[in-house]
Amino acid sequence: MSVYLHDIPLLEAQARLRQALQDADLWRVLGTETISLDENALGRVTSEPIWARISSPHYHASAMDGFAVRALATNGALPSKPMTLQIGPEADYVDTGDPLPDWANAVIPIENVESLDEHGKITEDVRKPGYIRIRASVPPWSHVRPLGEDIVATQLVLPAGHTLRPADLGAVAASGYEEIKVARKPKVAILPTGTELVPIGSELKAGDILEYNSLVIAAKIKAMGGEPTRFPIIKDDFDLICERVEEAARDHDLVLLNAGSSAGAEDFSAKVIQKLGTLLVHGVAVRPGHPVILGVIASGRKDRADFLNDDEIASSSASQSPRNDIVPIIGVPGYPVSAALTIDIFVEPIMAKWLGRRPNELQTETATLTRKIVSPPGDDDYVRVAVGKVGDRLLAAPLSRGAGVITSLVQADGLVIVPRGAQGIEAGEKVKVHLYRSRTEIERTILCIGSHDLTLDLLAQFLAEHDRRLASANVGSQGGLIALRRAEAHLAGSHLLDTKTGEYNISYIRQYMPNIPVKVVALVGREQGLLVRRGNPKGVKSLEDLNRPGIQFVNRQRGAGTRVLLDYHLNLLGIARESIIGYNQEEYTHLGLAAAIASGRADCGLGIAAAAQALDLDFIPLFQERYDLVIPRQHADSHLLAPLFGLLTGRGFREAVSRLTGYDVSVMGTVILEDQLND
Amino acid sequence: MSVYLHDIPLLEAQARLRQALQDADLWRVLGTETISLDENALGRVTSEPIWARISSPHYHASAMDGFAVRALATNGALPSKPMTLQIGPEADYVDTGDPLPDWANAVIPIENVESLDEHGKITEDVRKPGYIRIRASVPPWSHVRPLGEDIVATQLVLPAGHTLRPADLGAVAASGYEEIKVARKPKVAILPTGTELVPIGSELKAGDILEYNSLVIAAKIKAMGGEPTRFPIIKDDFDLICERVEEAARDHDLVLLNAGSSAGAEDFSAKVIQKLGTLLVHGVAVRPGHPVILGVIASGRKDRADFLNDDEIASSSASQSPRNDIVPIIGVPGYPVSAALTIDIFVEPIMAKWLGRRPNELQTETATLTRKIVSPPGDDDYVRVAVGKVGDRLLAAPLSRGAGVITSLVQADGLVIVPRGAQGIEAGEKVKVHLYRSRTEIERTILCIGSHDLTLDLLAQFLAEHDRRLASANVGSQGGLIALRRAEAHLAGSHLLDTKTGEYNISYIRQYMPNIPVKVVALVGREQGLLVRRGNPKGVKSLEDLNRPGIQFVNRQRGAGTRVLLDYHLNLLGIARESIIGYNQEEYTHLGLAAAIASGRADCGLGIAAAAQALDLDFIPLFQERYDLVIPRQHADSHLLAPLFGLLTGRGFREAVSRLTGYDVSVMGTVILEDQLND
């Protein structure tokens, strides 16, 4: 059998691993343990049904403070014909929760009796009278909680495989337990390998890669109910890796070997598994995640009992306790998004089986796709999307596809899965989204699209304090207006100069969003200028320097307001675009542009002062411009956006922005345009 | 100001507590702590925004194994016109993740080159050639992950108030952190008081109440992100309670005083708060939960620094650190359902504020109410409901209203809130349900209604293994058929004897469910007989004994199959119902009936052997009957119910039932009736 089975379908890969686990008698609850019934039992999974040992209440309990009586003896009492009962033989005081005397079968609440002393006079000592006078009869069992009202001994309280919630713990306690039998936590070893890896928090030099996959994986394992162990980074040394894997296999249920993302490293993992056991799958047709490796190796445990707890040893028989000589191992790809999805796709079903619970599932909703997804037809393709509700439509906007972009998982509101066989999905199609956030959280999300500005990050922080989430996508000013026309966002940031009138945005809005009433509010005035490295080594002073020999320029993308501004001034100056080296090198954000210069990829670019400051660049101010928020009328009046206007006219956000360099907050909140709705 | 403000509206009660916390500068994040960035940070809440310290990648990284080149130098390479580049000055081998040499700006993947030795011959040593031959040009920056592709230094990575998920930890690490500042966990003291309380697991005598509220509350506090401390049970002693409350106030942020549920105990709590501080609210118009008490007391802390961690001391200033001399205290009612809801309603918003996160919210769905809810118009009424999807309709069925019935919280799928001012909600109305379970879980729920049988509990356990949840409501056989007619359940358990034909169920189905095609499958044959206490002290032998003097009977409710059977045989024997003492005492389940006899509330009743065995009663067999499952045709063919038929015809469930006393499994799975759909 060939072990280099590149890119077999996902379902087949999962099936092979499952079959291997079944063959090893490991496709089952791994083991159980008895834990005490306290708050730490929360989230554990019952390993057997809980049948009530006792009833609750376990006696007939008074449900009120009052007097226990024989119901029959109260027959005939009327408001007009009161009846007197003697304390002792005919009535007895009971507090709520007290057991009824054997002879009693009802309780009269204390507020419905008159307490009399031994001479038949009204007494203040209402709880210890000699007699009580009643003016109504009571039916049997009134104001009594009968034995078993809540729980009857022998009834099923919880099934096996139930994840314990707070109230469940109470019900189990009420059923007569002080301990509970739960599935033991599967032990998962996480081994990061790669000579290029350095621990988080390290000082970095070029080529160093921060090792945080083991952190993300450990947190996922913990959230799934397992017990993760993070091993130290192992350098790329075949024998050393083999040694550590064998060590991990001895006292863990699952070994995750996280390789660097290079093909070389990946082959290393496969070879390790081949040496120590059986390679089942090498390469799965899933994106991201391709180079997943699945296998089983020998555990190296000599004695089954080594690995069992007292509970299991006490109860174990050959048929009940899983085999102990095989450990599954998964080669997890190195790119962080691939690594995270590999854990969700391959490890979660195993953890669910080992714990006896249902696999975790994401809620799904139907949404409209905003942009076309192109997908290789051979793969199951997991596409991260931002999700928001604009008007009545739920929208899914594809995020960065890069397997190295961990922030795409942070920003993602959900996943759209393009199944094997499909070449992609067209914009406007309805798609099933597996949601990472609750529907209510998504309904509190403000989708902001268009030009990027650093103040939007600050705005996101301030909006969060008002229970709104600002999700911004950077597509340039024109892209933002087009998205608004398509009703794909709630607002757009725009700084488009009308090169004829010198006015900002208005003519573009009329052009790109005809017949859509809008409100336009100024966010900030800001300086645009040239970003250059500290000390300006190339001596760049103005746009006239851009086509000087030896100057490498970096530009913003087509449609960006900054690019419009550049083109406007290049025209005024009569400078040909083609004469500028790097004019076609596009960056999508101010910070991306600044980073290109900081890294030496380019010498200069047009951008804002804040971006220069952020990356410690020099800034040569050239122009002043206004950055506006464009908001379709229907959203401007919505509850969702209400906090935004409060922030724009209040103090806190304004002050925070004014502390940034290159911003003029005097215009903030000024209404530039306010169309009325036609009807 | 009067402190006995009984039953003020919920919103006002919450507002008073909030105001008191605001006055004490406690309506804010309580404090922060810096923790290391590991898997234990999961679920903690960021206390400040995370701005990226470094970019990721922090250098231009190769995205493939291949050769770094100058893109410009590859211009002109074509399949027909290959180009040769010299290793060293023109090309350099890089692994994925390696930094690009300063002079390079693109990578050609290794599979797209031919490696040549120093003599221009093809070499096997593909990674260390002398030259490479290429047959296509590459654009600049292809196969490169540019600096900042994922994260650009200074960008917002996470806002404050964000609950950390696994991928977030990775993004924070990638941004250059190895520690993270989070809100500290609020410390919550839970003090159970009541002389009648005993710890869970105790041997019980009449009047003892198992103290499990503190367990449920502690688990809730933990799930909310707090740090609970469970105090030992305190007996009802005013001075002792005061002492313990003061002790708790010194090193906790919130004190929860869980009183016994009696009016006396409640007054005790109020007096304790009055003595130690200010009573804000005594009684809230909310059901269940009425006797909630809210107040603030002195913390008794001398020095603010006593209670601050190093982080806070280092950063604290008078305006940043909350006051330290006041502690809120809540008198939590004693009934378990009231206690649990009090925590959700009053404590969760405080915990959210103290942690700086959004309050937890339940997802909501619209459902049709199956039964009328009657509600006191002055109260906000929280009604637990079972929720299931029958056909296309989502249904909400009210559960037990008893504040003492903790199992109603275990069984509940959600809450319906009847607002203050409303007197109730009619059956058939649409209601908003706050869901405890996910929608997908609810869609896997089989609603079973009708007559109760112990085997249904076993069936629930077996169905759970097939990813189905069986929710059963016991309304008697006739009630079940009526519910099926109303499309309020997927199936009903029924054992209705046709007293004319001696046949079971069919004639009743035709009567109660006209024109609804059904499938009827036998579940079990079972013995019905008289349940009496061990040793049969009253010497009951047959139905003829029921109207003997001194015999207290207990009956099943109207519509129950067992009651039909009783009436049938009483008629045959000519025994008048009125002559039987206790004929009108109704129990809704076999176990409830057995419990009534076990407790001495009655001497005998008609029921099944399994119930007698469960509660250690004697059983006098009288009749054999068949218990069927009645399933509307549309559900019988559904995916949801498919596992049920597998269980009825398979071995495991049959064997488990056959181990119970009084059941005949030979009929199990026999199809009694199978209507075809008309079209």
Side-chain angles (χ1 to χ4, degrees):
Chain A
M1 176 176 135
S2 163
V3 291
Y4 282 87
L5 298 149
H6 274 285
D7 292 0
I8 64 166
L10 175 57
L11 286 176
E12 191 187 328
Q14 287 173 319
R16 278 196 205 173
L17 182 60
R18 190 167 58 243
Q19 187 59 52
L21 291 175
Q22 276 166 350
D23 293 347
D25 190 26
L26 287 172
W27 191 245
R28 50 180 287 171
V29 173
L30 277 190
T32 65
E33 59 182 329
T34 301
I35 60 171
S36 68
L37 196 60
D38 60 33
E39 62 269 29
N40 297 314
L42 198 64
R44 300 298 296 267
V45 183
T46 55
S47 60
E48 50 187 41
I50 308 292
W51 305 94
R53 286 178 179 161
I54 56 173
S55 298
S56 174
H58 60 284
Y59 56 89
H60 301 314
S62 176
M64 301 285 278
D65 293 355
F67 290 88
V69 297
R70 272 180 217 90
L72 203 61
T74 67
N75 279 356
L78 290 169
S80 59
K81 197 180 145 198
M83 179 183 282
T84 301
L85 300 175
Q86 192 187 348
I87 297 301
E90 294 179 314
D92 232 356
Y93 179 77
V94 282
D95 271 325
T96 305
D98 280 351
L100 255 54
D102 286 344
W103 50 265
N105 68 350
V107 169
I108 306 178
I110 193 165
E111 55 266 35
N112 296 350
V113 309
E114 293 155 57
S115 293
L116 311 175
D117 65 16
E118 56 273 31
H119 311 294
K121 297 255 170 67
I122 296 271
T123 172
E124 294 285 292
D125 196 0
V126 292
R127 286 182 169 77
K128 286 180 182 168
Y131 297 86
I132 54 169
R133 189 150 60 205
I134 60 171
R135 293 173 187 271
S137 65
V138 285
W141 306 105
S142 57
H143 304 301
V144 174
R145 294 185 61 215
L147 188 160
E149 183 199 42
D150 188 359
I151 296 166
V152 178
T154 76
Q155 83 173 59
L156 179 72
V157 181
L158 294 176
H162 180 86
T163 302
L164 292 164
R165 305 163 301 169
D168 299 328
L169 301 179
V172 174
S175 311
Y177 292 81
E178 57 181 326
E179 291 183 324
I180 187 164
K181 216 164 177 176
V182 294
R184 76 161 169 82
K185 295 187 178 188
K187 294 172 192 150
V188 180
I190 304 156
L191 283 67
T193 70
T195 306
E196 72 286 8
L197 298 180
V198 296
I200 63 170
S202 303
E203 282 291 320
L204 297 176
K205 57 177 200 305
D208 286 348
I209 294 179
L210 282 171
E211 196 293 290
Y212 57 79
N213 277 347
S214 69
L215 168 60
V216 175
I217 295 172
K220 279 186 177 280
I221 295 296
K222 193 181 173 209
M224 290 169 186
E227 200 176 285
T229 311
R230 286 168 71 187
F231 277 61
I233 294 163
I234 310 165
K235 63 176 191 226
D236 287 322
D237 173 324
F238 181 77
D239 293 329
L240 195 60
I241 297 174
C242 284
E243 204 176 290
R244 289 281 180 284
V245 166
E246 285 185 297
E247 186 189 322
R250 268 196 291 277
D251 46 14
H252 290 86
D253 300 301
L254 171 65
V255 176
L256 301 176
L257 189 58
N258 188 213
S261 53
S262 74
E266 189 192 309
D267 288 340
F268 241 27
S269 297
K271 281 177 195 143
V272 167
I273 297 173
Q274 272 184 295
K275 185 187 165 186
L276 301 179
T278 309
L279 186 62
L280 299 166
V281 171
H282 187 186
V284 181
V286 57
R287 284 212 338 171
H290 255 250
V292 174
I293 301 168
L294 308 176
V296 289
I297 58 175
S299 72
R301 288 168 218 142
K302 291 207 186 61
D303 186 357
R304 173 175 296 160
D306 282 358
F307 198 50
L308 299 177
N309 56 36
D310 293 347
D311 229 62
E312 289 169 290
I313 292 167
S315 71
S316 70
S317 71
S319 71
Q320 280 182 334
S321 149
R323 270 172 64 188
N324 199 32
D325 47 355
I326 290 291
V327 172
I329 179 165
I330 299 180
V332 179
Y335 276 130
V337 178
S338 308
L341 284 175
T342 297
I343 301 304
D344 293 344
I345 294 171
F346 291 96
V347 179
E348 161 57 22
I350 301 175
M351 296 293 286
K353 196 73 197 174
W354 283 353
L355 287 162
R357 62 163 169 77
R358 287 187 41 205
N360 290 332
E361 270 177 319
L362 300 174
Q363 295 284 99
T364 61
E365 292 276 357
T366 301
T368 304
L369 195 68
T370 62
R371 271 206 334 273
K372 180 177 179 165
I373 298 173
V374 180
S375 186
D379 291 357
D380 285 291
D381 194 1
Y382 286 68
V383 180
R384 283 89 71 206
V385 293
V387 182
K389 195 178 181 192
V390 178
D392 291 334
R393 287 199 311 169
L394 202 64
L395 299 172
L399 295 169
S400 164
R401 309 287 294 274
V405 181
I406 181 96
T407 50
S408 70
L409 278 178
V410 172
Q411 287 157 10
D413 302 314
L415 282 176
V416 168
I417 302 170
V418 186
R420 188 177 158 82
Q423 302 223 10
I425 306 176
E426 292 298 322
E429 276 192 49
K430 299 273 184 201
V431 289
K432 185 159 117 178
V433 185
H434 302 259
L435 290 179
Y436 286 146
R437 296 179 208 273
S438 74
R439 179 72 195 239
T440 46
E441 209 173 343
I442 281 167
E443 287 177 0
R444 290 197 176 125
T445 298
I446 300 172
L447 290 183
C448 175
I449 199 160
S451 169
H452 184 256
D453 186 81
L454 282 182
T455 55
L456 292 178
D457 281 358
L458 257 186
L459 188 59
Q461 177 56 45
F462 276 80
L463 282 168
E465 286 160 24
H466 291 266
D467 201 18
R468 297 293 183 278
R469 202 166 61 90
L470 185 73
S472 42
N474 308 316
V475 298
S477 292
Q478 288 177 21
L481 298 183
I482 292 166
L484 287 188
R485 184 180 67 208
R486 292 191 190 143
E488 290 176 0
H490 297 103
L491 75 163
S494 181
H495 56 114
L496 289 167
L497 176 67
D498 183 339
T499 52
K500 294 195 196 79
T501 64
E503 173 57 269
Y504 276 90
N505 295 323
I506 307 294
S507 62
Y508 290 87
I509 292 169
R510 296 306 182 211
Q511 179 191 348
Y512 287 105
M513 304 171 60
N515 305 319
I516 300 177
V518 295
K519 179 170 186 164
V520 179
V521 184
L523 181 64
V524 283
R526 60 182 194 178
E527 279 177 334
Q528 289 266 12
L530 285 169
L531 281 65
V532 294
R533 272 188 296 286
R534 187 57 83 196
N536 196 358
K538 298 274 176 101
V540 177
K541 298 225 165 71
S542 70
L543 297 189
E544 279 97 341
D545 291 315
L546 298 191
N547 57 2
R548 250 179 38 204
I551 300 292
Q552 176 79 34
F553 184 71
V554 59
N555 207 349
R556 292 295 308 284
Q557 83 283 11
R558 217 172 299 246
T562 302
R563 180 141 162 181
V564 172
L565 189 69
L566 175 73
D567 291 348
Y568 173 65
H569 286 284
L570 289 179
N571 272 341
L572 289 182
L573 297 168
I575 300 171
R577 300 167 190 188
E578 304 74 41
S579 68
I580 300 172
I581 296 168
Y583 180 89
N584 291 318
Q585 287 302 315
E586 296 185 343
E587 285 291 338
Y588 278 74
T589 67
H590 285 288
L591 284 171
L593 181 127
I597 297 159
S599 70
R601 233 174 75 208
D603 298 314
C604 64
L606 192 66
I608 57 173
Q613 195 185 28
L615 292 202
D616 200 27
L617 299 175
D618 276 359
F619 181 73
I620 300 150
L622 296 179
F623 323 109
Q624 273 279 349
E625 66 164 9
R626 206 181 64 233
Y627 182 99
D628 292 337
L629 299 179
V630 182
I631 312 166
R633 192 71 243 175
Q634 69 168 129
H635 305 311
D637 298 333
S638 69
H639 176 67
L640 180 71
L641 265 65
L644 172 66
F645 297 104
L647 290 175
L648 293 181
T649 52
R651 280 181 54 191
F653 175 59
R654 181 183 299 258
E655 286 174 10
V657 173
S658 69
R659 283 194 289 273
L660 299 175
T661 306
Y663 286 104
D664 169 17
V665 296
S666 66
V667 293
M668 185 181 285
T670 307
V671 176
I672 304 297
L673 177 66
E674 185 144 32
D675 292 338
Q676 295 309 312
L677 285 169
N678 290 332
D679 48 359
Chain B
M1 175 175 136
S2 163
V3 291
Y4 282 87
L5 298 150
H6 274 285
D7 292 359
I8 64 166
L10 174 56
L11 284 177
E12 192 186 328
Q14 286 172 320
R16 277 196 204 175
L17 183 58
R18 191 169 56 241
Q19 187 60 53
L21 292 175
Q22 276 166 350
D23 293 347
D25 190 25
L26 288 172
W27 191 244
R28 50 178 288 170
V29 174
L30 278 190
T32 64
E33 60 182 329
T34 301
I35 60 171
S36 65
L37 196 61
D38 60 31
E39 62 268 28
N40 297 313
L42 198 66
R44 300 299 294 268
V45 183
T46 55
S47 61
E48 50 187 44
I50 308 293
W51 305 95
R53 287 178 179 162
I54 56 172
S55 298
S56 174
H58 60 285
Y59 57 90
H60 301 312
S62 177
M64 301 284 277
D65 294 355
F67 291 87
V69 296
R70 272 180 218 92
L72 203 62
T74 67
N75 279 356
L78 290 169
S80 58
K81 196 180 142 197
M83 179 183 284
T84 302
L85 300 174
Q86 191 189 348
I87 297 301
E90 295 179 312
D92 232 356
Y93 179 76
V94 282
D95 272 325
T96 305
D98 280 351
L100 254 55
D102 287 344
W103 51 265
N105 68 349
V107 170
I108 306 178
I110 194 165
E111 55 268 35
N112 297 349
V113 309
E114 293 155 57
S115 294
L116 312 175
D117 65 18
E118 55 271 32
H119 310 294
K121 299 253 170 70
I122 297 272
T123 170
E124 294 286 293
D125 196 0
V126 291
R127 285 182 170 80
K128 286 180 181 168
Y131 298 86
I132 53 170
R133 190 150 57 206
I134 59 171
R135 292 172 186 273
S137 65
V138 286
W141 307 107
S142 56
H143 304 300
V144 174
R145 294 186 60 217
L147 189 160
E149 183 200 43
D150 187 0
I151 296 167
V152 179
T154 77
Q155 81 171 62
L156 179 73
V157 181
L158 293 176
H162 180 87
T163 303
L164 293 165
R165 305 162 301 169
D168 299 327
L169 302 179
V172 174
S175 312
Y177 292 82
E178 57 181 327
E179 291 184 323
I180 188 165
K181 216 163 176 177
V182 295
R184 75 163 172 82
K185 294 185 177 190
K187 295 170 191 151
V188 180
I190 304 157
L191 283 68
T193 71
T195 306
E196 72 284 7
L197 298 180
V198 296
I200 63 171
S202 303
E203 282 291 320
L204 297 175
K205 58 180 198 303
D208 287 347
I209 294 179
L210 281 172
E211 196 291 291
Y212 57 79
N213 277 348
S214 68
L215 167 61
V216 175
I217 296 172
K220 278 184 176 282
I221 296 296
K222 192 180 175 210
M224 289 170 187
E227 200 176 284
T229 311
R230 287 168 71 186
F231 277 62
I233 293 164
I234 310 165
K235 64 177 190 223
D236 288 322
D237 173 323
F238 181 77
D239 294 329
L240 194 61
I241 297 173
C242 285
E243 204 176 291
R244 289 282 181 283
V245 167
E246 285 184 298
E247 184 189 324
R250 268 197 290 277
D251 47 13
H252 290 86
D253 300 301
L254 172 65
V255 176
L256 301 176
L257 190 58
N258 188 213
S261 52
S262 73
E266 188 193 313
D267 288 344
F268 239 30
S269 296
K271 281 177 193 142
V272 167
I273 296 173
Q274 271 184 296
K275 184 186 166 188
L276 301 179
T278 310
L279 186 63
L280 299 166
V281 170
H282 187 185
V284 181
V286 57
R287 282 211 339 172
H290 254 251
V292 174
I293 301 168
L294 308 175
V296 288
I297 59 175
S299 71
R301 287 167 219 143
K302 290 204 187 65
D303 185 357
R304 175 176 296 160
D306 282 0
F307 198 50
L308 300 178
N309 56 37
D310 293 346
D311 229 61
E312 287 168 291
I313 292 167
S315 70
S316 69
S317 71
S319 71
Q320 281 182 334
S321 147
R323 270 173 61 187
N324 199 31
D325 48 355
I326 291 292
V327 173
I329 180 166
I330 298 180
V332 179
Y335 276 130
V337 178
S338 307
L341 283 174
T342 296
I343 302 303
D344 292 344
I345 294 171
F346 291 97
V347 178
E348 160 57 22
I350 301 176
M351 296 293 285
K353 196 73 197 173
W354 284 353
L355 287 163
R357 62 163 169 77
R358 290 189 41 207
N360 291 332
E361 272 178 318
L362 300 174
Q363 296 284 100
T364 60
E365 292 276 357
T366 301
T368 304
L369 195 69
T370 61
R371 271 206 335 271
K372 181 178 178 163
I373 298 173
V374 180
S375 184
D379 291 356
D380 286 290
D381 194 1
Y382 288 66
V383 180
R384 282 89 71 205
V385 293
V387 182
K389 195 176 180 192
V390 178
D392 292 334
R393 289 199 310 168
L394 202 64
L395 299 172
L399 295 168
S400 164
R401 307 288 294 275
V405 181
I406 181 96
T407 48
S408 70
L409 278 178
V410 172
Q411 287 156 9
D413 301 314
L415 283 176
V416 169
I417 301 171
V418 186
R420 187 177 160 82
Q423 302 221 11
I425 306 175
E426 293 297 322
E429 275 192 51
K430 297 274 182 200
V431 290
K432 184 159 116 178
V433 185
H434 302 259
L435 290 180
Y436 286 145
R437 296 179 210 272
S438 74
R439 180 73 196 242
T440 46
E441 209 172 343
I442 281 166
E443 288 178 358
R444 293 205 171 119
T445 298
I446 299 173
L447 290 183
C448 175
I449 200 161
S451 170
H452 184 257
D453 186 81
L454 282 183
T455 54
L456 292 179
D457 280 358
L458 257 188
L459 187 60
Q461 177 57 47
F462 275 81
L463 282 169
E465 287 161 25
H466 291 266
D467 202 19
R468 297 293 183 277
R469 202 167 60 90
L470 186 73
S472 42
N474 309 315
V475 297
S477 292
Q478 287 176 22
L481 298 183
I482 292 166
L484 287 189
R485 184 179 67 208
R486 292 189 190 143
E488 289 176 359
H490 297 103
L491 75 164
S494 180
H495 56 115
L496 289 166
L497 175 67
D498 183 340
T499 52
K500 294 195 195 79
T501 64
E503 173 57 270
Y504 276 90
N505 295 322
I506 307 294
S507 63
Y508 290 87
I509 291 168
R510 296 306 181 211
Q511 178 189 348
Y512 287 105
M513 304 170 61
N515 305 319
I516 300 177
V518 295
K519 179 169 185 164
V520 180
V521 184
L523 181 64
V524 282
R526 60 183 196 179
E527 279 178 334
Q528 288 267 12
L530 286 169
L531 280 64
V532 295
R533 270 188 297 285
R534 186 57 80 198
N536 196 0
K538 298 275 176 99
V540 177
K541 299 228 164 67
S542 70
L543 298 188
E544 278 97 340
D545 291 315
L546 298 191
N547 58 1
R548 247 176 42 203
I551 299 292
Q552 176 80 34
F553 184 71
V554 59
N555 206 348
R556 291 295 307 284
Q557 83 283 8
R558 217 172 299 246
T562 303
R563 180 140 160 183
V564 172
L565 190 70
L566 174 72
D567 291 349
Y568 172 67
H569 285 285
L570 289 178
N571 270 342
L572 289 183
L573 296 168
I575 300 171
R577 299 166 190 191
E578 306 73 43
S579 69
I580 300 172
I581 296 168
Y583 179 89
N584 290 319
Q585 286 303 314
E586 296 186 343
E587 286 291 338
Y588 279 74
T589 67
H590 285 288
L591 284 171
L593 181 128
I597 297 159
S599 70
R601 235 174 74 207
D603 297 315
C604 63
L606 192 65
I608 56 173
Q613 195 186 29
L615 292 202
D616 200 27
L617 299 176
D618 277 358
F619 180 74
I620 301 149
L622 295 178
F623 323 109
Q624 272 280 347
E625 65 164 8
R626 204 181 66 231
Y627 182 97
D628 292 338
L629 299 179
V630 182
I631 312 166
R633 192 70 242 176
Q634 69 168 128
H635 305 311
D637 298 332
S638 70
H639 176 67
L640 181 71
L641 265 65
L644 172 67
F645 297 103
L647 289 175
L648 293 181
T649 51
R651 280 181 54 190
F653 175 59
R654 181 183 298 257
E655 285 174 10
V657 173
S658 69
R659 284 193 289 271
L660 299 175
T661 307
Y663 286 103
D664 168 16
V665 295
S666 67
V667 293
M668 184 180 287
T670 307
V671 177
I672 304 298
L673 177 68
E674 185 145 29
D675 291 338
Q676 294 309 311
L677 284 169
N678 288 333
D679 50 358

